[in-house]
Amino acid sequence: WEGHAHLPTPSAWGLQSTWHVGAAWKFQGSFPPSPRNRYFLPKEHSRDYSAPVNFISAGLKKSAAEDVSDEDSDEDEKPVKQEEIPKEFVPKKLKTGGNFKPSQKGFVGGTKSFMDFGSWERHTKGIGQKLLQKMGYVPGRGLGKNAQGIINPIEAKQRKGKGAVGAYGSERTSQSLQDFPVVDSEEEAEEEFQKELSQWRKDPNGGKKKPKYSYKTVEELKAKGRINKQLSTPQKELSQVKVIDMTGREQKVYYSYSQISHKHNIPDDNPQQLLGKDSKPQGFALPELEHNLQLLIDITEQEIIQSDRQLQYERDMVVNLTHEIQKMSEILSHEETAISNLSKVLDMVEECERRMQPSCENPLTLDECAKIFETLQDKYYEEYRMSDRVDLAVAIVYPLMKDYFKNWDPLKDCTYGTEIIAKWKSLLENDQLLSHGGQDLSTDAFHRLMWEIWMPYVRNIVAQWQPRNCGSMVDFLDSWVHIIPVWILDNILDQLIFPKLQKEVENWNPLTDTVPIHSWIHPWLPLMQARLEPLYSPIRNKLANALQKWHPSDSSAKLILQPWKDVFTPGSWEAFMVKNIVPKLGMCLNELIINPHQQHMDAFYWVIDWEGMISVSSLVGLLEKHFFPKWLQVLCSWLSNSPNYEEITKWYLGWKSMFSDQVLAHPSIKDKFNEALDIMNRAVSSSVGGYMQPGARENIAYLTHTERRKDFQYEAMQERREAENMAQRGIGMAASSVPMNFKDLIQTKAEEHNIVFMPVIGKRHEGKQLYTFGRIVIYIDRGVVFVQGEKTWVPTSLQSLIDMAK
């Protein structure tokens, strides 16, 4: 079997085209019963061996397009019978050269209804349709999640001739335009291309080109003038540059770029030029006229531009004047309001002056005056702040304040006037805190009020005050400490209170005075704190002189010294104890006689009673030097005389119970008691001792074991406590070792050096909170400490601040 294959494309895509394959086929044997291998040939009576073999799709009803090849299709086709093949698809004859052209009228492309979609599956098992339905496909709708796919198959459009794609214009179908609407600008591009192409062609008429005229509107000139105005301000150094122009026949020199931009096309001196063979003479050449016309045009343009600039300037001036009018109207209204408020304030002040006259029937009281000042501060705050409050307060408030305090006794009624003075403080005091070193009373009415009116009463009462009656004076200052200025409080404590206390300490005699000194010195500690340091040295000297003839049997010395333990520094206290108390206690222990049969414990009790007053190391030194040598000697003598070991055990435990756990935990004390146990063990280990008293060795061994176990347990407990304390301290230090900010760092340093660091309530400087660091007033701004000087705030370092506070 030989023939030419004629393979069609699938009809499911709506395309009807034909493949022409010029290869020869040889068929041997029988074809397998598969649709892919079914080839149908004409019957024997109409067999034409010169015609090619046709392979026609079952759904093709019209002839294929002429000479259209599609080499990518190899779809399954339904076999048809020879009688059902249309006449258009029957090959007629074989053309020479391997080319043939079926006799057909042309390809007619069309769309099929979706009812025919997948119709070829009636010859198969229909697996494709089933898979699509499982995935949600609905017949008659497009593919995709939202059915966005096209419903109709892709249309084909027949090309007019054999040209390339796009040679005959757009080939888009109506369906593609409907599904994918895109603005087609190919026609515009073609027109532009033809226009550019015509520029390279020679004019067929051979005529001259028409002159082109350029027109400028007034708006374009205005826009050009605005741009030139921005660019017409060259830099100073560029405006004086020498420029050589070599663009013309002759070299020309300009002295600025602006001369080049403003030069005109002046006609040449020699307009007549030699004409060449091919050149034509100019029929109409008037360079002077052209120059004049161009000059008139330029002048007109400049006039238009200048007029536009002048108009814009006038408009801007109108806008500026409008804003000025609005601003001046606002200022005028503000001034009118200020005048009205000032007139009201003046009326209130004049009313106060009238009521302060002696002949007035309704005299002004201090409370009423405070209400008037509150009204001024609330309703007329700006005028109140701008006014001279010092002079106003001096004229109105000071006479009323003198009359208010004329019968006041601070020691009897310490809270008298605190409320009214606190109210006046908020009304008169400035926002900035004055320095206690250099006060300027002319700038703060409240400070002047307290210094001139309130302070004289305090001076008089302090001059009459007895320092040993400190309770009333301390209560008085505690009541006023948050009201009076800081520098006034410092003046009271430094200039009035401290000299009185210092003089009284010099007159104090601890041997004759019945009133202990701490009873009238210690109440001043919260107020004066470090100011009392100069008094401590004289007090220690007087106490040391009083203790020269003291004996430990006198317990009054402990009662006098005990309140000073937490007041003196640890170093000075320990030095005082070692110098004046420890030697007396050592002499008392030397006088102690240790007698197991008749023991007197008074001297031992006198020494042990000072355990909390002297340090543990000093007490242990006393015991090692003056007690344990005699005690061990008595033990050895007792063991050498056939003793009763039960009595020795009780004696040992009895002496050990006299000491506190803190003393027993000291290594030296442990060694002494362990030495006593070793002596007892050696005594019972000898044959004589063990023979004379059976069971003594076991009792002493048990005692030794018990004591050692107690020591071990106590040491383990101490180690565990220390470990817990270290862990808690480590957690606390880890949490607080790194300060969160500079204020926390200052607070930590203040705690380390025992300096009071606290905010001043209601006081600020430029919005920053004021603090007291000891006696110094500071504020913190962006990690810098500012200290209040005589006239201004001075930045300082943290170490300098600590030194100043100390």
Side-chain angles (χ1 to χ4, degrees):
W1 297 68
E2 294 182 0
H4 295 276
H6 182 219
L7 304 177
T9 58
S11 61
W13 298 93
L15 301 177
Q16 296 181 358
S17 58
T18 306
W19 289 354
H20 299 279
V21 184
W25 293 77
K26 289 185 178 181
F27 303 103
Q28 296 180 1
S30 61
F31 291 101
S34 173
R36 190 179 297 274
N37 298 331
R38 291 177 183 172
Y39 302 96
F40 299 91
L41 301 178
K43 295 183 180 180
E44 294 181 359
H45 61 273
S46 62
R47 187 174 300 168
D48 186 3
Y49 293 100
S50 64
V53 180
N54 291 329
F55 300 93
I56 306 301
S57 173
L60 191 62
K61 295 183 179 179
K62 294 184 179 181
S63 60
E66 184 179 359
D67 294 338
V68 179
S69 61
D70 187 359
E71 300 178 2
D72 297 335
S73 176
D74 189 14
E75 297 294 327
D76 299 340
E77 304 294 340
K78 177 184 176 183
V80 298
K81 296 182 180 181
Q82 185 68 22
E83 295 83 356
E84 298 177 358
I85 298 176
K87 295 180 180 180
E88 297 92 309
F89 298 102
V90 178
K92 297 206 176 167
K93 62 178 179 178
L94 184 64
K95 298 291 184 179
T96 60
N99 295 326
F100 61 92
K101 180 177 180 181
S103 57
Q104 53 189 14
K105 297 179 180 179
F107 173 73
V108 180
T111 61
K112 293 186 178 182
S113 174
F114 65 87
M115 298 300 294
D116 297 334
F117 177 74
S119 59
W120 67 85
E121 286 199 346
R122 61 175 174 266
H123 304 289
T124 63
K125 295 184 178 180
I127 187 63
Q129 187 77 8
K130 294 177 181 179
L131 291 175
L132 287 174
Q133 290 178 357
K134 286 183 179 181
M135 289 184 284
Y137 171 71
V138 178
R141 299 180 62 183
L143 295 177
K145 181 179 179 181
N146 299 320
Q148 68 271 20
I150 61 175
I151 301 175
N152 297 326
I154 300 174
E155 292 182 350
K157 186 174 182 180
Q158 184 179 5
R159 196 173 299 142
K160 297 178 181 179
K162 297 183 179 181
V165 176
Y168 306 102
S170 175
E171 296 184 1
R172 299 193 60 180
T173 61
S174 59
Q175 178 189 357
S176 65
L177 291 174
Q178 180 181 357
D179 294 337
F180 306 100
V182 178
V183 178
D184 196 352
S185 61
E186 294 180 359
E187 292 78 1
E188 299 177 1
E190 180 65 23
E191 292 178 1
E192 185 177 357
F193 173 72
Q194 293 296 337
K195 187 184 298 184
E196 293 177 356
L197 186 62
S198 63
Q199 296 178 0
W200 296 93
R201 294 176 180 173
K202 188 175 181 182
D203 190 1
N205 299 328
K208 296 182 180 179
K209 292 185 179 179
K210 295 182 179 180
K212 294 183 179 180
Y213 299 97
S214 60
Y215 302 95
K216 290 183 181 179
T217 62
V218 177
E219 298 298 331
E220 291 177 353
L221 287 177
K222 292 179 181 180
K224 180 182 177 182
R226 296 190 187 99
I227 296 175
N228 291 339
K229 183 179 180 181
Q230 298 176 359
L231 301 178
S232 63
T233 57
Q235 299 180 0
K236 185 176 181 180
E237 59 271 10
L238 295 180
S239 62
Q240 300 178 358
V241 175
K242 183 179 179 181
V243 182
I244 301 174
D245 185 9
M246 302 181 68
T247 58
R249 255 191 233 102
E250 296 179 358
Q251 176 177 325
K252 296 181 181 180
V253 179
Y254 301 98
Y255 293 95
S256 65
Y257 288 117
S258 59
Q259 294 182 7
I260 300 177
S261 61
H262 291 94
K263 73 173 183 175
H264 300 286
N265 294 326
I266 302 174
D268 297 334
D269 298 335
N270 299 320
Q272 299 295 332
Q273 298 179 359
L274 296 175
L275 300 176
K277 294 181 179 181
D278 299 332
S279 60
K280 297 180 181 181
Q282 278 186 321
F284 185 80
L286 296 174
E288 292 84 357
L289 181 59
E290 292 178 0
H291 169 69
N292 294 336
L293 290 175
Q294 185 64 36
L295 190 59
L296 289 174
I297 292 172
D298 293 342
I299 292 173
T300 306
E301 290 181 357
Q302 292 299 324
E303 290 178 355
I304 294 173
I305 291 173
Q306 291 296 332
S307 300
D308 178 64
R309 290 179 181 176
Q310 184 66 26
L311 178 61
Q312 187 64 33
Y313 172 76
E314 297 296 338
R315 289 175 179 173
D316 294 341
M317 184 61 68
V318 170
V319 174
N320 188 17
L321 292 176
T322 304
H323 288 296
E324 288 292 334
I325 291 172
Q326 294 178 357
K327 186 177 179 180
M328 296 304 294
S329 63
E330 293 177 359
I331 294 175
L332 181 61
S333 62
H334 179 72
E335 294 294 338
E336 291 177 353
T337 305
I339 292 173
S340 175
N341 293 337
L342 285 175
S343 62
K344 293 179 182 178
V345 171
L346 184 61
D347 293 341
M348 296 176 68
V349 173
E350 290 177 353
E351 178 67 18
C352 291
E353 291 180 353
R354 186 187 62 79
R355 294 181 61 183
M356 288 185 65
Q357 298 297 328
S359 60
C360 182
E361 298 179 356
N362 184 17
L364 184 66
T365 62
L366 196 60
D367 292 336
E368 293 177 351
C369 185
K371 292 180 181 179
I372 292 174
F373 271 77
E374 287 179 356
T375 304
L376 291 175
Q377 190 176 26
D378 294 339
K379 294 184 178 180
Y380 311 104
Y381 181 79
E382 295 296 333
E383 292 77 8
Y384 178 74
R385 288 297 178 187
M386 289 188 300
S387 64
D388 193 354
R389 289 174 291 168
V390 177
D391 296 338
L392 187 63
V394 169
I396 299 176
V397 182
Y398 284 21
L400 298 176
M401 195 68 69
K402 285 183 180 179
D403 186 65
Y404 184 79
F405 283 107
K406 65 181 180 180
N407 297 323
W408 176 48
D409 187 357
L411 298 181
K412 293 181 180 179
D413 189 2
C414 60
T415 60
Y416 178 79
T418 54
E419 295 181 0
I420 191 68
I421 293 296
K423 184 183 295 184
W424 280 108
K425 180 180 181 180
S426 62
L427 293 174
L428 299 178
E429 190 174 25
N430 282 336
D431 294 334
Q432 297 183 355
L433 188 65
L434 295 178
S435 171
H436 59 272
Q439 307 90 351
D440 187 7
L441 298 179
S442 62
T443 59
D444 193 287
F446 177 73
H447 289 212
R448 183 175 176 181
L449 172 68
M450 297 300 294
W451 181 255
E452 296 181 359
I453 305 300
W454 183 84
M455 194 65 182
Y457 294 99
V458 178
R459 289 195 192 98
N460 294 332
I461 201 66
V462 172
Q464 303 172 5
W465 167 67
Q466 294 297 325
R468 300 200 180 191
N469 299 326
C470 63
S472 57
M473 185 61 69
V474 171
D475 293 340
F476 163 69
L477 292 179
D478 285 337
S479 302
W480 287 85
V481 68
H482 299 294
I483 301 175
I484 60 177
V486 177
W487 64 272
I488 292 181
L489 177 63
D490 293 341
N491 181 271
I492 294 172
L493 296 177
D494 293 337
Q495 305 297 329
L496 302 179
I497 302 298
F498 182 77
K500 300 278 287 185
L501 292 177
Q502 190 175 20
K503 184 177 180 180
E504 191 67 23
V505 168
E506 291 176 356
N507 297 330
W508 173 66
N509 187 357
L511 297 178
T512 58
D513 288 340
T514 58
V515 179
I517 189 172
H518 65 268
S519 63
W520 49 273
I521 292 292
H522 287 185
W524 291 103
L525 288 174
L527 284 172
M528 303 188 71
Q529 296 177 0
R531 291 185 176 91
L532 297 175
E533 285 286 345
L535 301 179
Y536 296 156
S537 181
I539 291 173
R540 285 194 293 266
N541 292 333
K542 289 179 177 291
L543 291 175
N545 293 331
L547 290 172
Q548 289 180 356
K549 298 181 181 180
W550 170 77
H551 190 270
S553 61
D554 185 6
S555 61
S556 61
K558 183 181 178 182
L559 297 177
I560 295 175
L561 294 176
Q562 191 172 7
W564 294 97
K565 181 182 178 182
D566 297 330
V567 177
F568 295 157
T569 60
S572 61
W573 174 258
E574 183 64 21
F576 181 82
M577 289 287 105
V578 170
K579 181 179 179 181
N580 301 289
I581 301 298
V582 173
K584 304 285 186 180
L585 298 179
M587 292 173 58
C588 186
L589 282 178
N590 281 332
E591 297 174 359
L592 176 66
I593 299 174
I594 299 176
N595 185 3
H597 302 289
Q598 188 178 0
Q599 182 69 53
H600 296 283
M601 301 293 294
D602 293 340
F604 183 80
Y605 289 148
W606 295 339
V607 174
I608 294 297
D609 193 32
W610 285 86
E611 180 181 348
M613 300 289 291
I614 63 177
S615 62
V616 177
S617 60
S618 299
L619 182 59
V620 170
L622 286 174
L623 294 175
E624 284 183 329
K625 185 177 180 180
H626 303 288
F627 173 74
F628 277 106
K630 296 188 293 183
W631 186 76
L632 292 175
Q633 185 179 1
V634 169
L635 177 62
C636 293
S637 300
W638 194 1
L639 291 173
S640 61
N641 294 322
S642 300
N644 185 353
Y645 287 98
E646 293 183 0
E647 294 181 357
I648 291 177
T649 302
K650 293 180 182 179
W651 180 77
Y652 170 85
L653 295 175
W655 274 108
K656 191 174 183 180
S657 63
M658 293 294 177
F659 301 96
S660 63
D661 293 339
Q662 189 176 6
V663 175
L664 291 175
H666 198 275
S668 300
I669 303 299
K670 285 183 181 181
D671 293 340
K672 295 299 181 181
F673 280 105
N674 289 332
E675 184 179 352
L677 289 176
D678 294 338
I679 293 173
M680 288 189 288
N681 283 319
R682 287 196 300 269
V684 297
S685 298
S686 63
S687 59
V688 178
Y691 173 74
M692 291 180 64
Q693 188 173 353
R697 181 181 301 174
E698 290 77 5
N699 292 335
I700 296 300
Y702 177 75
L703 175 64
T704 303
H705 176 71
T706 303
E707 293 298 318
R708 300 279 170 81
R709 186 176 61 183
K710 287 181 180 179
D711 293 341
F712 177 76
Q713 291 177 353
Y714 182 80
E715 291 177 358
M717 185 182 299
Q718 289 295 110
E719 291 178 357
R720 185 162 58 252
R721 288 178 181 176
E722 290 179 1
E724 292 177 356
N725 293 336
M726 288 294 293
Q728 293 179 357
R729 196 180 305 119
I731 295 174
M733 290 177 65
S736 62
S737 60
V738 180
M740 297 300 293
N741 49 34
F742 195 66
K743 177 189 170 185
D744 295 341
L745 177 61
I746 296 176
Q747 185 174 359
T748 303
K749 293 295 182 181
E751 292 175 358
E752 291 177 0
H753 296 276
N754 196 19
I755 299 173
V756 177
F757 175 68
M758 60 183 295
V760 181
I761 301 176
K763 299 296 179 182
R764 291 184 177 272
H765 175 72
E766 296 180 355
K768 307 294 188 305
Q769 176 67 47
L770 295 179
Y771 300 88
T772 56
F773 192 84
R775 290 180 293 173
I776 303 172
V777 180
I778 66 171
Y779 77 91
I780 305 168
D781 185 13
R782 292 176 288 185
V784 179
V785 179
F786 288 84
V787 179
Q788 190 178 28
E790 294 182 358
K791 295 183 179 180
T792 183
W793 294 87
V794 181
T796 185
S797 64
L798 185 56
Q799 187 60 41
S800 301
L801 179 65
I802 295 171
D803 297 338
M804 292 167 61
K806 286 185 176 181

